[in-house]
Amino acid sequence: MTVSATHQQVMSCADAGLPVLQQLLAPYELEVVLIEEPAPLPGSFWGDPEAGLIGWQLFIRSHTPLQSALHEASHYICMDSLRRARLHTDAGGGYDEENAVCYLQILLADQLPGVGRQRMWQDMDRWGYTFRLGSAQCWFEQDAEDTCRWLLEQDLIDRHEHPTGRLRQGG
């Protein structure tokens, strides 16, 4: 597989470190599984090198973009327990949940040494995320109040906007 220019510009899971990623996601009971080539990457909705989800497992390669791993992990955290119980490849979810996923992946990036929200904003923009204000940072800082409120109501972040380590309940 050749690595595109976009892949070279964004932080990979290897750059962040597998043990650090595993530690970050452990409170959510989400197992990070490293898949070596040439084995297919299980559960990837968008295909290799994008992270995949099946059940409680997040599948990555060393060159999987970190933003992809955090995005899929955030889907797992933000979905209700009924969807989580039958999760296989397509995380689904509506508009509010997708926004919450993007917001939470930025907050999770703040928990990783050497990453942080600035880097996540850059990588999201480089990867092609689109926001009505033109960038991930502008959306996060100026247009995501409803998203922050949703995460608070679901007990996924606290009033200081720190991830709680809890999964969304209900269904």
Side-chain angles (χ1 to χ4, degrees):
M1 163 180 191
T2 60
V3 179
S4 73
T6 300
H7 286 106
Q8 293 172 351
Q9 295 173 353
V10 299
M11 184 174 272
S12 71
C13 289
D15 294 332
L18 181 61
V20 173
L21 189 57
Q22 290 170 321
Q23 182 179 359
L24 173 71
L25 299 176
Y28 301 103
E29 299 178 9
L30 185 58
E31 179 185 3
V32 181
V33 181
L34 181 64
I35 303 294
E36 299 293 339
E37 302 226 36
L41 192 57
S44 179
F45 185 78
W46 299 107
D48 197 323
E50 298 288 327
L53 277 174
I54 300 175
W56 69 93
Q57 294 180 307
L58 175 70
F59 296 96
I60 63 167
R61 294 200 193 284
S62 59
H63 64 270
T64 293
L66 179 61
Q67 62 79 20
S68 175
L70 293 180
H71 189 86
E72 294 306 312
S74 295
H75 266 297
Y76 181 83
I77 294 164
C78 290
M79 69 178 53
D80 64 47
S81 56
L82 290 178
R83 278 198 4 256
R84 197 177 307 110
R86 57 181 194 272
L87 175 60
H88 195 298
T89 307
D90 186 356
Y95 177 81
D96 291 339
E97 186 177 311
E98 184 65 32
N99 284 339
V101 165
C102 291
Y103 199 94
L104 184 58
Q105 83 183 73
I106 294 164
L107 296 180
L108 289 172
D110 275 343
Q111 307 295 309
L112 293 171
V115 183
R117 64 181 62 187
Q118 290 286 339
R119 181 58 193 252
M120 188 54 50
W121 291 330
Q122 291 171 2
D123 284 0
M124 289 170 77
D125 291 343
R126 285 179 181 140
W127 200 252
Y129 287 70
T130 58
F131 296 96
R132 120 180 111 192
L133 296 182
S135 74
Q137 182 175 358
C138 288
W139 168 76
F140 186 90
E141 294 178 338
Q142 302 171 30
D143 194 32
E145 300 84 14
D146 55 336
T147 299
C148 186
R149 189 170 38 258
W150 189 94
L151 287 163
L152 276 165
E153 289 169 359
Q154 301 302 321
D155 198 27
L156 301 178
I157 62 172
D158 64 22
R159 62 185 179 91
H160 302 292
E161 297 189 24
H162 297 126
T164 61
R166 296 183 186 102
L167 297 171
R168 181 177 170 202
Q169 299 303 305

